[in-house]
Amino acid sequence: MTGTRGFRGAARAVVVALSLAGATALAQAPDLPAAPKGAPQDSGALRVQVQGTLTDAQKNDPKLEDETKAVATELRCPVCQGLSIQDSPSELSQQMRTVVKEQLASGKSQREVKDYFISKYGEWILLEPQPHGFNLFIYALPAALVLGGAGLIVLLVRRWTTAGATSSTGPDDNE
Amino acid sequence: MNWKRSGIAVATLIPVIGLFAWGLTRDPNNIPSPLPGRAAPAFALSVFAPGQGELHRPVGDTMRLADLKGKVVVVNFWASWCLACRDEHALLSMLAQEYVGKPVQFMGVLYNDVPDKGRAWIAEMGGQSYPSVDDPGARVAIDYGLYGVPETFFLDVNGRVAYKHTGPVTPDVVHQKLDSLIAAGALQSALEVSKPGAAATDVKPAEGR
């Protein structure tokens, strides 16, 4: 697991560098006008976020910032490879971070904000799969392999040592 | 004994190789959207490119999903910086005209772009028959779980997402989805006329899939 994490870190650094280069090369950052947009008007359908709901106090609130960061590091950037929206400089990630912050500011819990993104993008949007159902297999597999490997080593070492002790002439493989 | 061992080795390897082989046939970029079958996220977006002829909507008009009930809606997310959008533009523009007179609304949603660039692009591409709206901050795009552009959503007459198409659309896809959704809508309204009340539950299985 640690090996993968190290690799992931390196890959992440490369991706960040590449996407930064890409972002500057494209210079594709239009200033989006804060257009007056209608509040939710529909009945059964899902809600539309109201544009620019953050007050100045909320924008500078360190607690809200921390919570946003906590959620954003768990959400996958849809246009990157293996980056969270917290780490990604892409425009969509920035916009998604804004949505996270606004929803948190509106009183939603971290869980509810994550559920919102899951309802839009599927569980894929979470960088770490949730530990339920078939996903448990992924969590259990490394432990099972380590335990199985340790058991195998113990078994083999025991067999070799006893084989060596009883007959010094025939070294191994008397299966 | 060696036969037994190689037997075990083969029996272990074959499923693993089979799993990898199956994995190779799958596209990792193809992530299923959870939206089809659910109510389409509501929107109220302002028109920046009016469209032409009968599909004309004045610039500044607000297009709302709620106002489009009873129509099949084709929501196409696009951007002027998107290359694949060029491939489908002429086709979508033509198809929108082909479906004039039918209960269908084509609309473009500009994604992470500025309206001026969008308008210039439309002019460069020789016009767009249907109106396009701006989506500041990509709020609606995120609400629709957008990965990139172009992506096209087909909404049924009840405002539910029936189908999501990633990448440039093809004539077959549009015809097939639209025709079946229009037919389902017509069937539903026919049933509603004949026996109101029971209609909604009766129609469900026939809807758009």
Side-chain angles (χ1 to χ4, degrees):
Chain A
M1 279 285 113
T2 42
T4 351
R5 184 146 295 176
F7 171 73
R8 224 179 167 186
R12 191 176 283 195
V14 171
V15 173
V16 169
L18 282 178
S19 39
L20 273 174
T24 37
L26 279 171
Q28 187 56 257
D31 286 325
L32 293 158
K37 205 172 72 174
Q41 78 294 327
D42 203 290
S43 51
L46 296 156
R47 281 150 291 165
V48 174
Q49 269 65 50
V50 186
Q51 187 81 15
T53 50
L54 289 175
T55 62
D56 281 347
Q58 284 171 331
K59 276 177 191 158
N60 301 319
D61 179 4
K63 189 175 164 267
L64 183 62
E65 189 58 48
D66 286 348
E67 277 191 65
T68 307
K69 215 174 263 181
V71 174
T73 32
E74 286 187 43
L75 296 176
R76 188 192 298 270
C77 155
V79 294
C80 323
Q81 299 287 340
L83 269 185
S84 73
I85 61 168
Q86 176 66 30
D87 295 334
S88 161
S90 77
E91 202 168 355
L92 181 58
S93 293
Q94 289 173 27
Q95 289 157 338
M96 284 168 75
R97 281 202 300 273
T98 311
V99 171
V100 169
K101 199 169 189 178
E102 282 176 8
Q103 293 198 0
L104 287 171
S106 77
K108 276 195 182 184
S109 71
Q110 296 192 15
R111 181 72 250 170
E112 284 168 336
V113 177
K114 277 187 263 180
D115 284 343
Y116 163 79
F117 281 97
I118 292 171
S119 76
K120 301 305 178 183
Y121 287 92
E123 224 185 285
W124 174 91
I125 199 75
L126 297 177
L127 275 168
E128 272 185 31
Q130 290 176 306
H132 64 70
F134 179 73
N135 293 350
L136 282 174
F137 181 69
I138 305 166
Y139 284 87
L141 192 64
L145 285 178
V146 166
L147 285 177
L152 194 69
I153 289 171
V154 167
L155 201 79
L156 286 177
V157 165
R158 221 179 248 172
R159 188 179 288 178
W160 290 334
T161 47
T162 50
T166 48
S167 63
S168 48
T169 43
D172 56 6
D173 206 10
N174 45 2
E175 260 289 291
Chain B
M1 280 306 133
N2 274 338
W3 280 111
K4 195 179 161 195
R5 279 194 181 180
S6 27
I8 292 171
V10 169
T12 333
L13 277 178
I14 282 180
V16 174
I17 292 171
L19 183 71
F20 288 170
W22 173 74
L24 284 176
T25 63
R26 290 164 56 88
D27 181 1
N29 295 320
N30 192 4
I31 303 139
S33 165
L35 283 177
R38 291 212 228 138
F43 55 78
L45 297 172
S46 161
V47 175
F48 77 92
Q52 303 156 339
E54 293 170 70
L55 300 170
H56 183 274
R57 281 291 287 264
V59 171
D61 234 20
T62 304
M63 288 184 87
R64 290 187 176 84
L65 179 64
D67 298 342
L68 299 172
K69 272 244 160 90
K71 279 185 176 178
V72 176
V73 187
V74 181
V75 185
N76 173 249
F77 287 88
W78 66 278
S80 71
W81 46 262
C82 151
L83 284 178
C85 299
R86 293 172 178 263
D87 297 342
E88 65 173 7
H89 174 264
L91 174 69
L92 276 172
S93 212
M94 192 194 79
L95 286 171
Q97 268 163 342
E98 192 184 312
Y99 281 89
V100 164
K102 293 188 176 153
V104 176
Q105 174 72 56
F106 278 72
M107 59 184 290
V109 181
L110 193 67
Y111 168 72
N112 273 345
D113 204 348
V114 274
D116 278 344
K117 285 187 180 166
R119 272 189 288 265
W121 186 85
I122 288 173
E124 182 200 330
M125 298 298 291
Q128 191 173 45
S129 64
Y130 52 89
S132 268
V133 295
D134 189 23
D135 177 21
R139 299 310 164 102
V140 173
I142 294 171
D143 240 6
Y144 275 79
L146 205 79
Y147 290 103
V149 274
E151 275 183 24
T152 308
F153 292 81
F154 293 79
L155 317 184
D156 71 14
V157 291
N158 302 311
R160 255 195 300 257
V161 178
Y163 174 68
K164 170 190 170 177
H165 186 87
T166 308
V169 292
T170 60
D172 287 350
V173 164
V174 179
H175 277 131
Q176 191 203 328
K177 298 296 171 196
L178 275 186
D179 292 345
S180 70
L181 288 173
I182 293 169
L187 179 66
Q188 181 180 331
S189 42
L191 285 171
E192 270 165 12
V193 169
S194 62
K195 43 172 181 174
T201 43
D202 280 358
V203 162
K204 254 176 197 163
E207 257 164 42
R209 243 152 295 148

